């Protein structure tokens, strides 16, 4: 079997936390509602981790140079469940529980469903029909510019880590992010060099794993892995 010529290119793994009660209800869960995973949400993480995380698997602990985790309990629990206790102990010095990955601050929209948000905006004379958080932000919460600022800070840190290792010079150069749906989609847009309101329709299911990397081993060509071969 021919070797994977891109295997040495640094990668960023995106891990979304598992299901919560508000996920089931379709309620927007931002930076103020710190609610736990459901039992099913925990099973989602166990299932994904069992298949994708561990020695010889997609997310190889020894290949991680840094792990950035939202400090919200649903993200912290997801991180804890992704790795065995002994592995977490070894990774401790690489983990940063950072506010840069807290979910988008929904402000007045916290706990509401999308239909309720549109109704509220209509009552306030704001664009309702075409509401898009990546364009309009949230009343009383964060604007797209504020979210852009914090994910860009994180991208700069990661690029500085990756730049000397574009050809696998240091095997341990991958990065893991454990966070939330909207903030990870915002991160993806900015990783690819698009404005945060770029119409990129992207999905990341609760408990899901996504992958970002680079084309041609080039730090100036960030990309997402649409598909990859597994040995």
């Amino acid at each position: 079997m021919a070797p994977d010529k891109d295997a040495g290119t640094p990668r960023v793994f995106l891990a979304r936390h598992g299901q919560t009660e508000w996920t089931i209800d379709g309620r927007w869960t931002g930076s103020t509602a710190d609610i736990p995973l459901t039992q099913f949400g925990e099973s989602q993480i166990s299932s994904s981790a069992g298949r994708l995380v561990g020695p010889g698997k997609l997310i190889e602990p020894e290949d991680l140079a840094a792990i950035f985790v939202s400090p919200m309990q649903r993200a912290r629990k997801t991180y804890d469940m992704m790795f065995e206790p002994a592995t977490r102990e070894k990774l401790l010095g690489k983990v940063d529980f950072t506010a840069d990955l807290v979910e988008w601050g929904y402000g007045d929209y916290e706990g509401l469903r999308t239909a309720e948000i549109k109704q509220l905006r209509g009552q306030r004379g704001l664009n309702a029909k075409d509401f898009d958080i990546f364009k309009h932000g949230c009343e009383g919460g964060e604007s797209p510019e504020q979210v852009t600022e914090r994910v860009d800070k994180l991208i700069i840190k990661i690029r500085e880590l990756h730049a000397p290792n574009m050809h696998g010079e240091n095997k341990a150069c991958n990065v893991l992010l454990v966070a939330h749906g909207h903030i990870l989609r915002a991160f993806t847009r900015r990783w690819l060099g698009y404005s945060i309101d770029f119409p990129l329709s992207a999905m990341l299911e609760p408990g899901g794993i996504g992958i970002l990397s680079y084309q041609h081993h080039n730090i100036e060509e960030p990309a997402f892995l649409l598909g990859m071969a597994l040995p």
Side-chain angles (χ1 to χ4, degrees):
M1 180 182 294
D4 177 0
K5 66 179 181 179
D6 290 323
T9 307
R11 292 171 175 169
V12 177
F13 299 105
L14 311 177
R16 183 182 176 187
H17 66 74
Q19 180 197 75
T20 68
E21 288 293 342
W22 282 17
T23 307
I24 299 171
D25 293 340
R27 299 168 69 184
W28 286 35
T29 318
S31 58
T32 57
D34 196 8
I35 60 179
L37 301 179
T38 61
Q39 184 175 352
F40 181 70
E42 293 187 5
S43 72
Q44 289 175 314
I45 302 306
S46 295
S47 179
S48 294
R51 291 171 170 80
L52 300 177
V53 181
K57 297 180 181 178
L58 178 66
I59 302 178
E60 164 66 72
E62 291 188 1
D63 292 348
L64 293 173
I67 303 169
F68 298 97
V69 184
S70 163
M72 307 300 287
Q73 68 164 312
R74 55 194 186 276
R76 296 176 71 106
K77 180 66 172 180
T78 295
Y79 167 68
D80 286 347
M81 294 189 67
M82 289 180 69
F83 299 97
E84 297 292 335
T87 302
R88 291 202 308 273
E89 184 69 23
K90 292 179 181 178
L91 293 172
L92 190 59
K94 300 179 179 182
V95 181
D96 182 359
F97 294 97
T98 173
D100 289 337
L101 279 179
V102 169
E103 181 59 296
W104 197 305
Y106 294 146
D108 295 355
Y109 305 157
E110 184 82 25
L112 300 181
R113 300 170 181 83
T114 301
E116 295 169 336
I117 293 170
K118 291 183 176 181
Q119 182 181 28
L120 178 63
R121 288 179 62 85
Q123 293 169 351
R124 295 177 175 179
L126 300 173
N127 182 309
K129 181 180 179 181
D130 299 320
F131 169 66
D132 182 345
I133 188 174
F134 296 105
K135 291 182 180 179
H136 304 116
C138 299
E139 294 177 89
E142 284 187 293
S143 67
E145 292 76 19
Q146 289 172 312
V147 172
T148 295
E149 181 179 359
R150 59 186 176 96
V151 298
D152 280 2
K153 286 193 302 181
L154 192 52
I155 289 172
I156 289 170
K157 291 180 184 178
I158 294 171
R159 294 271 164 81
E160 289 175 347
L161 178 66
H162 283 170
N165 300 296
M166 295 308 293
H167 294 270
E169 289 85 348
N170 182 352
K171 186 178 179 183
C173 64
N174 290 334
V175 172
L176 170 65
L177 309 185
V178 185
H180 317 269
H182 272 132
I183 199 67
L184 289 175
R185 281 179 278 170
F187 181 95
T188 298
R189 285 170 163 84
R190 296 301 297 148
W191 178 267
L192 298 173
Y194 299 138
S195 64
I196 201 168
D197 62 350
F198 184 80
L200 177 68
S201 183
M203 297 173 61
L204 185 58
E205 295 182 346
I209 303 290
I211 311 173
L212 301 173
S213 189
Y214 307 87
Q215 295 190 77
H216 310 123
H217 302 276
N218 187 345
I219 195 76
E220 301 298 334
E221 296 185 62
F224 63 86
L225 276 170
L226 187 62
M228 61 181 295
L230 296 174

